[in-house]
């Protein structure tokens, strides 16, 4: 008979596990553990897990979300930075097959190798202190990820889906549109699935969180000749938000004359600000600027 596992995703079990292992949640490592089974189920549902599917979980903690993924039939590789937690996971998730726990930093491990060069989904309640860095690293490495389902701060989720001022009716959106929005939308089709209140975590974070679902595109949203150069232009353009596009780009060392020419070729007014440019305008600009530099 299959082993029946106690559900980790509730306050009393989480407290009990922490106490039994003499653990304290670490603020430095962004440890806010889920204590709401409904939220775990909704994340697993949003990830649309099929039996035997490969999932990379970043930061399994004491195994709360991992358990939901395993119950849904996923083969989970979980990377956890906290050295104390693999021993805890060995007990809280004892008896589950299809689980591999790796102790290490997600920004440093060879993800392609640990996922055996196979396509996979990423499902995670991310540590908030490095959310954007993790998402950008995963996307820029062009790993064979098909879907990313992650819990992030509501404000970060809004940045990921924000569109430029000129295309959006809501002025608010322009404030949050930046290099993260461009990168996420370049590689994926993102949508905010649902919000999660602070009371669903132990300890409760100060802000509301959101689960964001990013379906990775087969090819990027716009055609660029050189990804690295494109992102250099995007980052430089948003580098100094109050400056005009031409001044922001000139301040990182691009030649003014070439910039004027590239902007003219791209049909972009040099006095515009980065937050008004669409992905395709950034692509045209970076392609034209690159062609003039060579
Ligand atoms: N998945 C668990 C849950 O939902 O209850 C824990 C989520 S908690 C928000 C984030 C987890 O990421 C913590 O367990 C933390 O130790 C881990 N973590 C922090 N930085 C990490 C890194 N660079 N690489 C891998 N894991 C990390």
């Amino acid at each position: 008979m299959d082993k029946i596992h106690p559900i980790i995703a509730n306050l009393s079990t989480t407290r009990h596990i922490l106490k039994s292992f003499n653990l304290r949640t670490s603020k430095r490592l962004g440890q806010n553990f889920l204590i709401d089974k409904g939220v775990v189920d909704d994340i697993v549902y949003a990830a649309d897990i099929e039996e035997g599917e490969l999932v990379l979980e970043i930061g399994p903690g004491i195994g709360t979300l991992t358990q939901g993924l395993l119950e849904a039939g996923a083969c989970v590789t979980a990377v956890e930075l906290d050295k104390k937690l693999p021993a805890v996971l060995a007990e809280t998730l004892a008896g589950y097959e299809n689980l591999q726990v790796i102790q290490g930093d997600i920004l440093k491990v060879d993800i392609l190798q640990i996922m055996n060069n196979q396509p996979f989904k990423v499902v995670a309640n991310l540590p908030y202190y490095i959310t954007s860095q993790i998402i950008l690293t995963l996307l820029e490495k062009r790993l064979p990820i098909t879907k990313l389902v992650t819990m992030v701060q509501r404000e970060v989720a809004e940045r990921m889906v924000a569109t430029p001022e000129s295309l959006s009716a809501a002025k608010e959106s322009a404030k949050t549109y930046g290099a993260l929005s461009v990168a996420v939308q370049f590689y994926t089709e993102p949508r905010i699935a649902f919000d999660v209140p602070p009371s669903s975590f132990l300890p409760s974070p100060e802000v509301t969180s959101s689960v964001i679902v990013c379906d990775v595109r087969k090819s990027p949203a716009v055609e660029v000749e050189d990804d690295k150069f494109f992102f250099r232009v995007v980052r430089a353009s948003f580098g100094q938000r109050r400056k005009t596009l031409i001044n922001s780009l000139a301040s990182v060392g691009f030649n003014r004359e070439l910039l004027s020419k590239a902007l003219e070729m791209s049909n972009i007014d040099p006095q515009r600000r980065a937050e008004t440019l669409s992905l395709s305008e950034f692509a045209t600009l970076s392609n034209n600027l690159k062609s003039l530099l060579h």
Side-chain angles (χ1 to χ4, degrees), residues 240 242-249 270-274:
Q240 284 156 312
R242 282 202 222 115
K243 286 195 176 174
T244 58
L245 202 51
I246 191 153
N247 284 343
S248 295
L249 288 165
Q271 298 310 310
R272 281 172 64 185
R273 288 169 208 274

Side-chain angles (χ1 to χ4, degrees), residues 28-35 57-66 79-82 85 104-107 124-130 134 201:
R28 186 177 58 84
L29 293 177
Q31 291 180 348
N32 297 95
F33 297 143
L34 270 170
I35 50 167
E57 190 194 358
I58 300 159
I62 59 171
T64 318
L65 177 56
T66 328
V79 178
E80 173 56 59
L81 182 57
D82 189 337
L85 292 179
D105 183 341
I106 193 62
L107 298 175
N125 171 14
L126 289 175
Y128 290 169
Y129 75 106
I130 43 165
I134 292 177
F201 304 86

Side-chain angles (χ1 to χ4, degrees), residues 47-95:
D48 194 18
I49 302 292
E50 280 176 28
E51 187 76 34
E53 199 161 44
L54 292 189
V55 171
L56 169 67
E57 190 194 358
I58 300 159
I62 59 171
T64 318
L65 177 56
T66 328
Q67 184 177 43
L69 292 166
L70 291 165
E71 289 284 342
C75 292
V76 181
T77 296
V79 178
E80 173 56 59
L81 182 57
D82 189 337
K83 290 200 173 81
K84 293 195 257 23
L85 292 179
V88 177
L89 290 163
E91 284 206 28
T92 58
L93 299 176

Side-chain angles (χ1 to χ4, degrees), residues 1-284:
M1 206 176 91
D2 281 350
K3 193 173 171 205
I4 297 175
H5 294 85
I7 300 297
I8 305 169
N10 62 66
L11 181 59
S12 58
T13 309
T14 301
R15 278 204 176 128
H16 175 73
I17 294 170
L18 293 176
K19 198 162 170 232
S20 312
F21 287 91
N22 206 7
L23 289 174
R24 270 165 194 250
T25 53
S26 157
K27 205 170 178 181
R28 186 177 58 84
L29 293 177
Q31 291 180 348
N32 297 95
F33 297 143
L34 270 170
I35 50 167
D36 187 332
K37 168 84 164 58
V39 174
V40 170
D41 291 345
D42 289 348
I43 296 174
V44 173
Y45 181 77
D48 194 18
I49 302 292
E50 280 176 28
E51 187 76 34
E53 199 161 44
L54 292 189
V55 171
L56 169 67
E57 190 194 358
I58 300 159
I62 59 171
T64 318
L65 177 56
T66 328
Q67 184 177 43
L69 292 166
L70 291 165
E71 289 284 342
C75 292
V76 181
T77 296
V79 178
E80 173 56 59
L81 182 57
D82 189 337
K83 290 200 173 81
K84 293 195 257 23
L85 292 179
V88 177
L89 290 163
E91 284 206 28
T92 58
L93 299 176
Y96 282 104
E97 290 171 2
N98 303 325
L99 169 67
Q100 181 190 18
V101 175
I102 293 171
Q103 193 277 315
D105 183 341
I106 193 62
L107 298 175
K108 294 191 184 139
V109 294
D110 183 344
I111 298 175
L112 203 53
Q113 193 225 322
I114 63 170
M115 300 311 290
N116 295 324
N117 280 299
Q118 299 291 315
F120 62 96
K121 287 179 179 168
V122 174
V123 184
N125 171 14
L126 289 175
Y128 290 169
Y129 75 106
I130 43 165
T131 306
S132 309
Q133 215 180 323
I134 292 177
I135 291 172
L136 290 177
T137 304
L138 292 174
L139 294 175
E140 284 171 11
K141 282 191 177 157
R142 303 296 283 266
L143 298 162
I145 299 171
T146 53
K147 202 190 250 302
L148 258 149
V149 180
T150 57
M151 175 96 70
V152 299
Q153 290 180 25
R154 167 95 209 167
E155 171 262 327
V156 176
E158 279 168 355
R159 274 164 47 205
M160 289 163 74
V161 299
T163 52
E165 190 180 28
S166 56
L167 303 179
S168 159
K171 277 262 179 203
E172 270 304 295
S173 184
K175 279 194 215 147
T176 52
Y177 179 66
L180 181 68
S181 331
V182 173
V184 169
Q185 292 165 38
F186 180 76
Y187 293 116
T188 81
E189 288 180 79
R191 67 182 169 85
I192 295 177
F194 55 93
D195 288 343
V196 182
S199 58
S200 295
F201 304 86
L202 181 79
S204 304
E206 273 156 27
V207 293
T208 297
S209 304
S210 299
V211 170
I212 183 147
V213 177
C214 301
D215 288 310
V216 179
R217 298 173 188 274
K218 293 224 158 44
S219 50
V222 287
E223 245 180 74
V224 297
E225 263 144 49
D226 178 341
D227 293 16
K228 281 211 172 100
F229 188 77
F230 170 74
F231 284 110
R232 221 180 110 201
V233 170
V234 170
R235 271 192 274 267
S237 303
F238 283 107
Q240 284 156 312
R241 278 185 174 259
R242 282 202 222 115
K243 286 195 176 174
T244 58
L245 202 51
I246 191 153
N247 284 343
S248 295
L249 288 165
S251 71
V252 298
F254 287 113
N255 174 292
R256 264 186 186 275
E257 245 174 75
L258 285 186
L259 280 173
S260 297
K261 189 134 193 243
L263 286 160
E264 195 188 325
M265 283 164 76
S266 314
N267 220 355
I268 299 170
D269 180 343
Q271 298 310 310
R272 281 172 64 185
R273 288 169 208 274
E275 62 262 33
T276 68
L277 260 66
S278 66
L279 255 68
S280 66
E281 285 178 311
F282 273 121
T284 311

